[in-house]
Amino acid sequence: MAEDLSSLQQIRGLVKWFDPTKGFGFVVSDEGGPDILLHVNVLRNFGQSSIADGAEVELVTHHTERGVQAVEVLSITPPTRDDSPVLSDFAEMDADVLYSEPLVPARVKWFDKGKGFGFANVFGRDEDVFLHVEVLRQSGLSELQPGEALGMRVIDGKRGRMAVEVLAWEAALLEKQD
């Protein structure tokens, strides 16, 4: 039986919370109304396995018997923050220089949200690149899974190779096309 698509609606809102372990979270629409369920599979279709609390999203939603659910993620804007450096390692560096580094393809080696960090490897290189949870949040992500593909801007920091920006692979591809 065909599903009734008359209740599809495009909305903008803020992520109230998202738990990748549970596989879902909720978005609050700018228009008000009930919370919108955001399932991890819908987020994965956008190319991400997590999203930061407070991120702005544009969604296509569907009204069901169980409430309003997201069926497609159209865009994600990381939470707003002040201009202070994300990490003290970046405090003395010029932000324009940090963000002018090329996006490189990488894969998550491991990430532990509880510890607040993890590591990735740039494709074709053996060295580990340090990933800090605050850099993820700045980029609109909240957690990473082993093997997940990323686009990263990497610098030689005080403690070795470190990511200054992390994007879901699909978002990195879109940025390269611009």
Side-chain angles (χ1 to χ4, degrees):
M1 181 174 184
E3 193 173 348
D4 178 17
L5 301 179
S6 65
S7 70
L8 291 180
Q9 183 179 5
Q10 189 171 328
I11 65 99
R12 291 191 73 77
L14 293 177
V15 175
K16 186 175 184 178
W17 62 268
F18 187 85
D19 186 335
T21 304
K22 291 181 178 178
F24 68 92
F26 289 93
V27 172
V28 178
S29 170
D30 290 350
E31 310 281 316
D35 288 354
I36 300 160
L37 175 69
L38 176 58
H39 194 272
V40 71
N41 288 337
V42 174
L43 194 54
R44 282 186 185 132
N45 288 339
F46 185 74
Q48 292 186 201
S49 62
S50 70
I51 187 168
D53 297 349
E56 186 176 314
V57 292
E58 189 171 354
L59 305 169
V60 175
T61 63
H62 178 60
H63 291 267
T64 70
E65 291 176 5
R66 297 180 64 188
V68 182
Q69 297 181 7
V71 294
E72 183 180 5
V73 175
L74 302 173
S75 71
I76 296 175
T77 304
T80 55
R81 49 180 297 280
D82 60 23
D83 289 337
S84 62
V86 177
L87 298 175
S88 61
D89 299 71
F90 308 152
E92 297 171 9
M93 299 178 166
D94 182 350
D96 292 336
V97 172
L98 291 176
Y99 295 102
S100 67
E101 290 295 320
L103 276 172
V104 293
R107 191 161 302 280
V108 177
K109 189 172 180 179
W110 65 269
F111 187 82
D112 186 327
K113 187 176 181 180
K115 291 181 179 178
F117 68 92
F119 292 91
N121 297 112
V122 173
F123 290 150
R125 298 187 187 154
D126 293 333
E127 71 210 20
D128 287 344
V129 176
F130 180 73
L131 298 168
H132 194 278
V133 70
E134 289 302 322
V135 172
L136 293 186
R137 285 189 187 122
Q138 164 195 311
S139 302
L141 301 164
S142 65
E143 192 162 343
L144 299 171
Q145 301 301 316
E148 190 169 345
L150 304 170
M152 301 188 312
R153 295 186 201 286
V154 180
I155 63 160
D156 289 313
K158 296 175 184 176
R159 298 179 265 182
R161 304 281 288 159
M162 37 190 329
V164 296
E165 184 175 26
V166 177
L167 301 173
W169 183 243
E170 286 78 358
L173 287 176
L174 290 174
E175 183 174 304
K176 281 193 159 234
Q177 292 174 359
D178 291 343

